[in-house]
Amino acid sequence: GQNIDQPTEMTATEGAIVQINCTYQTSGFNGLFWYQQHAGEAPTFLSYNVLDGLEEKGRFSSFLSRSKGYSYLLLKELQMKDSASYLCAVRDHGNKLVFGAGTILRVKS
Amino acid sequence: ETGVTQTPRHLVMGMTNKKSLKCEQHLGHNAMYWYKQSAKKPLELMFVYSLEERVENNSVPSRFSPECPNSSHLFLHLHTLQPEDSALYLCASSQDLPAGGSGANVLTFGAGSRLTVL
């Protein structure tokens, strides 16, 4: 079956670095996405990985290892506005996007 | 108007009511989606329309009925719902790739319609 696992909740301090992990087992692989969702708002696209390695975009980076079925989202220099839910999603060979349940990140001062 | 707009943002209905959720996208995309988001559960894909044809129907109960009159508008008609149908319903759009194409095909989501069934 299709399965995406990520931690339910994490807490980190303003200015720190946090890593949110995601492991997946899907019917094939056609790319991995990270979305950010603030409470009461639309999920917004953060990053896309289809090849192994690290993709960096400002304070946010995303890593992928296809052989391990593993990704992480790295957030540096945390700000209070980074408090949100972070959704990991994998596109399978049928082009379906399979989502994890999301990780709620709380940033404290 | 920008992006993907959903109305109403909040809806409370009884089990015998009939209501509709509306979604409009202003991005020129050719595919639209309905997702259900329940607390602490993954987003569940309900329906996909590509070029106004329904291409996905994930065993959704018939009390949910989608309609896609054109590539910019998507509706979800609700009838005799159950309390367990209470959730956030998210609409999304994307630019579908041609067969064999590659690329991110990123979904753009609306802010959702929060549905409560009493």
Coordinates of all heavy atoms in Angstrom, one line a residue, chain A residues 1-2 4 24-33 89-99, chain B residues 56:
Chain A
G1 N 0.8 -1.2 0.0 CA 0.0 0.0 0.0 C 0.9 1.3 0.0 O 2.1 1.2 0.0
Q2 N 0.2 2.4 0.0 CA 0.9 3.7 0.0 C 1.0 4.2 1.4 O 0.0 4.1 2.2 CB 0.0 4.7 -0.8 CG -0.5 4.2 -2.2 CD 0.4 4.5 -3.3 OE1 1.6 4.2 -3.3 NE2 -0.1 5.3 -4.2
I4 N 3.1 7.3 3.8 CA 4.0 8.4 4.0 C 4.0 8.7 5.5 O 3.0 8.9 6.1 CB 3.5 9.7 3.3 CG1 3.1 9.5 1.9 CG2 4.5 10.8 3.4 CD1 4.2 9.5 0.9
Y24 N 8.8 7.2 2.9 CA 7.7 6.9 2.1 C 7.8 5.5 1.5 O 8.9 5.0 1.3 CB 7.5 7.9 1.0 CG 8.6 8.0 0.0 CD1 8.7 7.2 -1.1 CD2 9.7 8.9 0.2 CE1 9.8 7.2 -2.0 CE2 10.8 9.0 -0.6 CZ 10.8 8.2 -1.7 OH 11.9 8.2 -2.6
Q25 N 6.6 4.9 1.3 CA 6.5 3.6 0.5 C 5.4 3.8 -0.4 O 4.2 3.8 0.1 CB 6.3 2.4 1.5 CG 7.4 2.1 2.4 CD 7.0 1.1 3.5 OE1 6.0 1.3 4.2 NE2 7.7 0.0 3.6
T26 N 5.6 3.9 -1.7 CA 4.6 4.2 -2.6 C 4.7 3.3 -3.9 O 5.7 2.6 -4.1 CB 4.6 5.6 -3.1 OG1 5.9 5.9 -3.6 CG2 4.3 6.6 -2.0
S27 N 3.7 3.3 -4.7 CA 3.7 2.5 -5.9 C 4.5 3.3 -7.0 O 3.9 4.0 -7.8 CB 2.2 2.3 -6.4 OG 1.5 1.7 -5.4
G28 N 5.8 3.2 -6.9 CA 6.6 4.0 -7.8 C 6.9 5.3 -7.3 O 6.3 5.8 -6.2
F29 N 7.7 6.1 -7.9 CA 8.1 7.4 -7.5 C 8.3 8.3 -8.7 O 9.1 8.0 -9.6 CB 9.5 7.3 -6.7 CG 10.0 8.6 -6.2 CD1 9.5 9.1 -5.0 CD2 10.9 9.3 -7.0 CE1 10.0 10.4 -4.6 CE2 11.4 10.6 -6.5 CZ 10.9 11.1 -5.3
N30 N 7.7 9.5 -8.6 CA 7.8 10.5 -9.7 C 8.0 11.8 -9.1 O 7.6 12.8 -9.7 CB 6.5 10.5 -10.5 CG 6.7 10.0 -11.9 OD1 7.8 10.0 -12.4 ND2 5.6 9.7 -12.6
G31 N 8.6 11.9 -7.9 CA 8.9 13.2 -7.3 C 8.3 13.4 -5.9 O 7.3 12.7 -5.6
L32 N 9.0 14.2 -5.1 CA 8.5 14.4 -3.7 C 8.4 15.9 -3.5 O 9.2 16.7 -3.9 CB 9.5 13.8 -2.7 CG 9.2 13.9 -1.3 CD1 9.6 12.6 -0.5 CD2 9.7 15.1 -0.6
F33 N 7.3 16.3 -2.8 CA 6.9 17.7 -2.6 C 6.9 17.9 -1.1 O 6.5 17.1 -0.3 CB 5.6 18.0 -3.2 CG 5.5 17.8 -4.7 CD1 5.4 16.5 -5.2 CD2 5.4 18.8 -5.5 CE1 5.3 16.3 -6.6 CE2 5.3 18.7 -6.9 CZ 5.2 17.4 -7.4
A89 N 4.6 15.0 0.4 CA 3.8 14.3 -0.6 C 4.6 13.7 -1.7 O 5.6 14.3 -2.1 CB 2.7 15.3 -1.2
V90 N 4.2 12.5 -2.1 CA 5.0 11.8 -3.1 C 4.1 11.5 -4.3 O 2.9 11.1 -4.1 CB 5.5 10.4 -2.6 CG1 6.1 9.6 -3.7 CG2 6.5 10.6 -1.5
R91 N 4.6 11.8 -5.5 CA 3.8 11.5 -6.7 C 4.2 10.1 -7.2 O 5.4 9.8 -7.4 CB 4.1 12.5 -7.8 CG 3.1 12.3 -9.0 CD 3.4 13.4 -10.1 NE 3.2 14.7 -9.6 CZ 2.1 15.3 -9.5 NH1 0.9 14.7 -9.8 NH2 2.0 16.6 -9.1
D92 N 3.2 9.2 -7.3 CA 3.5 7.8 -7.6 C 3.5 7.6 -9.2 O 3.3 8.6 -9.9 CB 2.6 6.8 -6.9 CG 1.1 6.9 -7.4 OD1 0.9 7.6 -8.4 OD2 0.3 6.3 -6.7
H93 N 3.7 6.4 -9.6 CA 3.8 6.1 -11.1 C 2.5 6.4 -11.8 O 2.5 6.6 -13.0 CB 4.3 4.7 -11.3 CG 5.8 4.6 -11.4 ND1 6.5 3.5 -11.3 CD2 6.7 5.6 -11.6 CE1 7.8 3.7 -11.4 NE2 7.9 5.0 -11.6
G94 N 1.4 6.3 -11.0 CA 0.1 6.7 -11.6 C -0.2 8.2 -11.6 O -1.3 8.6 -11.9
N95 N 0.9 8.9 -11.2 CA 0.8 10.4 -11.1 C -0.1 10.9 -10.0 O -0.6 12.0 -10.0 CB 0.4 11.1 -12.5 CG 1.6 11.5 -13.3 OD1 2.7 11.7 -12.7 ND2 1.5 11.6 -14.6
K96 N -0.5 10.0 -9.1 CA -1.3 10.4 -7.9 C -0.3 11.0 -6.9 O 0.8 10.5 -6.7 CB -1.9 9.2 -7.3 CG -3.3 8.9 -7.8 CD -3.9 7.8 -6.9 CE -5.1 7.1 -7.6 NZ -5.6 6.0 -6.8
L97 N -0.8 12.1 -6.3 CA -0.1 12.7 -5.2 C -0.5 12.1 -3.9 O -1.7 12.3 -3.5 CB -0.3 14.2 -5.2 CG 0.8 15.1 -4.6 CD1 2.2 14.8 -5.2 CD2 0.4 16.6 -4.8
V98 N 0.4 11.4 -3.2 CA 0.0 10.8 -1.9 C 0.6 11.6 -0.8 O 1.8 11.9 -0.7 CB 0.6 9.3 -1.8 CG1 0.2 8.7 -0.5 CG2 0.1 8.5 -3.0
F99 N -0.2 12.1 0.2 CA 0.2 13.0 1.2 C 0.4 12.2 2.5 O -0.3 11.3 2.9 CB -0.9 14.0 1.5 CG -0.9 15.2 0.5 CD1 -1.6 15.1 -0.7 CD2 -0.1 16.3 0.7 CE1 -1.5 16.1 -1.6 CE2 -0.1 17.4 -0.2 CZ -0.8 17.3 -1.3
Chain B
E56 N -10.6 10.9 -12.2 CA -10.4 10.2 -10.9 C -11.6 10.3 -10.0 O -12.2 11.4 -9.9 CB -9.2 10.8 -10.2 CG -8.7 10.1 -9.0 CD -7.8 8.9 -9.3 OE1 -7.0 9.0 -10.2 OE2 -8.0 7.9 -8.6

